[in-house]
Each structure stands twice: as C-alpha cells, then as structure tokens.
C-alpha cells in the first residue's frame, strides 16, 4: 500500500487540498435547518469553518461537499474560493465523493487531502497548521485528537415499569465497567491524508461494506499508521442542542483574543 516514506519525503512540497464535509442533516441537533447552516456570530457554521481553514498558509481554496438538495451553500459568501461536490448517505461516502472531485483536478497521489467537519468551526488556526505539518512527515496521514479527560464507562439497560418521566422508554442505564482511558483519544478534524492512500482505504471500506465514522478508521483496518496530533479542547463538534451555547461561548472568547 502506498509508496515508501522516502518517496513522500523526497517529493517537492505536496499541495494540500482542503474539503469541508457539509452534507449531513444534523438530526441529533434537531434544528429546522441542517446544523451547518446554524448562525453563530452572524455567520453560518459552514462559513466560519471555511474562514478557519482560510487562515492557514497551506490552504487557498476549499471543496464543499453538500447534499444534493442543498439550496443554501451557493447563496453564501466565503473567505476563500470554493467549489462543490455532492455528498453521500454516510459521512465517509461524502468524503469519498470529495476525494473523487479532488482527484479529477489532477492532484498527485502524494498530495495531501484535508477533511474537516463543517460542524467544527472553532478549530484553532494553529491546530490546522500543526496537523498539516505532521502529515507532511508521514507516509499516510495525521489527525487532530484530544486525550480522553473523563472517566469512561460501559453501561447496561434495565427495563422498569414505573411512570417516572426520567425513565425514557421505561428503561434505565446502569454503570457496567470503567474503561482504562490511558490510551484513549477523542478524534477530531481536520484529518489529513495522502490522496492515493485515502482513495485506496475508502475503496476497501466500500468493498467490505464497513461502517466508519472517521477516515482514520479506514487506515486502522489496514494497520496503516496515522499520527495523532494533540488538538485543542475548544475544537468541539456541534452535535446536540446543548453544544450551541458552549460553541458560541468558545467562538466569542476566541474572537476576543488578540
Ligand atoms: N452523509 C453525511 C453525514 C455527515 N456529513 C458531515 O460530517 C460532519 C460531521 O458529521 P455529524 O456531526 O454526524 O453531522 P450530521 O450527520 O449532520 O449529524 P447527525 O448524525 O446528528 O444527523 C458534519 O459537518 C456533516 O455535515 C456529511 O458531509 N455527509
Ligand atoms: C469525524 C469526527 O468528527 C471525529 O470525531 C466524527 O466522527 C464525525 O461525527 P459523527 O457523528 O461520528 O459522524
């Protein structure tokens, strides 16, 4: 799989092709519009996320992967030139569509593809550059991640026959086991990979009908090393309604920084 590390390191500085995946429905967030179009600080999350990528010296345009029925993205202004691809049912299929679009621009297999969630607009610019610089030194790629800070537990469910409103679906969760968190990380985005290798591992996922929630997982299936770069805990993903207040506070605090 892929070329030797020497092949990548001997190449002139590869280009970084940025893509933002924004073809989701935001069902867990539950808004009337897809969460990437939620407004924070007078801009949509998508616009904020593009602006963050634009702050990197490695990125001067961005592919936006949007839903086929998206009627919003093309009405918005962005900090850098954007072009479009149509997303898929699953997030990784949206990424695969983006990889295909980037590949058709003449990108080389040793070039880098940066994948970022539209739902992560608070990623610090420093982190973007750090993960790209790390990927430039890797044969396959690098991702931002944060070490798990809380105690992690598995659970089991008990059915109950009370009419207590807190017992959703007449079920209660109980603690089963605590997991050793010493080597546990929460993956973030951007995730940055060599284009050729990313194409191959996503094809593997499709051929084997695997379910992945991030692209690094695909490399793990093939035991291909992906570097973990410690990222800021400010880089949260808007997922549930509760996240909006936290994300808004982070963005406000970041904008107040010199
Ligand atoms: N088929 C999909 C699913 C998700 N995404 C994007 O991937 C990012 C992270 O995914 P997630 O937080 O799961 O977003 P949604 O799928 O929209 O959320 P939900 O699972 O709650 O519906 C989001 O920017 C989302 O727009 C995508 O481009 N294509
Ligand atoms: C890619 C990701 O942001 C890494 O944490 C996350 O997996 C995407 O969100 P999803 O809800 O898993 O699709």
């Amino acid at each position: 799989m892929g070329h030797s590390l020497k092949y990548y390191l001997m190449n002139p500085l590869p280009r970084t092709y940025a893509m933002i995946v924004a073809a989701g429905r935001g069902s867990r967030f539950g808004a009337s519009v897809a969460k990437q179009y939620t407004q924070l600080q007078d801009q949509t999350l998508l616009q904020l996320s593009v602006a963050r990528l634009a702050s990197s010296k490695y990125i001067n345009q961005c592919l936006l992967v949007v839903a086929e029925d998206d009627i919003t993205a093309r009405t918005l202004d962005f900090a850098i030139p954007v072009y479009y691809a149509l997303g898929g049912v699953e997030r990784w299929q949206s990424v695969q569509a983006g990889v295909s679009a980037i590949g058709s621009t003449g990108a080389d297999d040793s070039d880098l593809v940066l994948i970022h969630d539209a739902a992560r607009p608070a990623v610090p610019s420093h982190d973007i550059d750090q993960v790209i610089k790390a990927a430039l030194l890797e044969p396959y790629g690098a991702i931002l991640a944060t070490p798990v800070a809380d105690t992690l537990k598995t659970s089991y469910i008990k059915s109950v026959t009370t009419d207590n409103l807190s017992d959703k679906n007449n079920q209660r969760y109980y603690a089963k086991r605590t997991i050793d968190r010493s080597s546990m990380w929460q993956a973030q985005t951007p995730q940055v990979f060599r284009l050729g290798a990313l194409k191959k591992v996503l094809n593997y996922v499709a051929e084997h009908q695997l379910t992945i929630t991030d692209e690094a997982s695909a490399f793990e299936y093939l035991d291909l090393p992906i570097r973990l770069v410690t990222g800021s805990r400010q880089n949260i993903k808007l997922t549930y309604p509760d996240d909006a207040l936290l994300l808004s506070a982070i963005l406000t605090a970041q904008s107040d920084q010199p």
Side-chain angles (χ1 to χ4, degrees):
M1 158 72 80
H3 298 280
S4 69
L5 177 58
K6 184 179 177 186
Y7 164 83
Y8 290 116
L9 296 182
M10 294 299 284
N11 274 10
L13 185 65
R15 284 197 57 184
T16 299
Y17 290 82
M19 86 165 77
I20 288 180
V21 282
R25 299 295 175 192
S27 54
R28 288 169 290 178
F29 187 62
S32 56
V33 296
K35 65 184 180 183
Q36 54 269 33
Y37 300 120
T38 295
Q39 293 257 347
L40 290 177
Q41 294 196 332
D42 300 324
Q43 287 193 73
T44 65
L45 264 61
L46 180 57
Q47 289 169 296
L48 290 166
S49 292
V50 171
R52 283 298 163 95
L53 296 191
S55 69
S56 170
K57 66 182 180 183
Y58 296 99
I59 298 169
N60 55 27
Q61 64 175 354
C62 186
L63 171 69
L64 303 183
V65 185
V66 298
E68 193 164 3
D69 60 355
D70 186 303
I71 57 172
T72 305
R74 295 172 180 81
T75 68
L76 302 174
D77 295 324
F78 295 101
I80 50 177
V82 298
Y83 56 115
Y84 292 90
L86 297 182
V89 173
E90 300 297 331
R91 182 185 175 283
W92 71 268
Q93 291 170 319
S94 295
V95 171
Q96 192 172 44
V99 165
S100 176
I102 289 168
S104 67
T105 65
D108 186 85
D109 278 355
S110 63
D111 284 330
L112 297 179
V113 176
L114 179 145
I115 303 153
H116 188 52
D117 294 334
R120 291 183 185 271
V123 55
S125 302
H126 171 76
D127 287 12
I128 298 170
D129 286 342
Q130 289 301 105
V131 70
I132 293 171
K133 284 191 275 193
L136 286 170
L137 298 175
E138 294 291 330
Y140 299 107
I143 70 168
L144 289 177
T146 56
V148 167
D150 300 319
T151 295
L152 292 178
K153 296 183 183 297
T154 59
S155 65
Y156 65 91
I157 293 175
K158 265 187 179 177
S159 297
V160 292
T161 55
T162 68
D163 57 0
N164 185 325
L165 291 179
S166 72
D167 294 333
K168 189 175 178 184
N169 304 323
N170 288 336
Q171 292 183 329
R172 289 180 185 169
Y173 288 92
Y174 289 83
K176 183 174 183 178
R177 289 287 181 278
T178 294
I179 297 173
D180 175 9
R181 70 177 187 224
S182 59
S183 63
M184 300 288 278
W185 296 70
Q186 283 180 263
Q188 301 174 332
T189 68
Q191 303 199 353
V192 187
F193 308 102
R194 300 287 176 171
L195 173 61
L198 182 57
K199 280 189 280 192
K200 289 178 180 174
V201 299
L202 290 178
N203 287 339
Y204 182 87
V205 168
E207 287 157 12
H208 294 79
Q209 298 177 321
L210 303 174
T211 299
I212 60 172
T213 55
D214 77 338
E215 283 60 57
S217 311
F219 287 84
E220 294 154 29
Y221 271 112
L222 293 166
D223 291 323
L224 300 174
I226 298 300
R227 169 99 181 274
L228 297 177
V229 176
T230 300
S232 167
R233 291 174 60 85
Q234 296 170 25
N235 183 13
I236 68 168
K237 177 167 69 77
L238 188 84
T239 306
Y240 298 103
D242 260 6
D243 299 329
L245 179 64
L246 184 56
L247 183 56
S248 181
I250 291 171
L251 290 169
T252 300
Q254 290 178 338
S255 62
D256 291 345
Q257 286 173 344

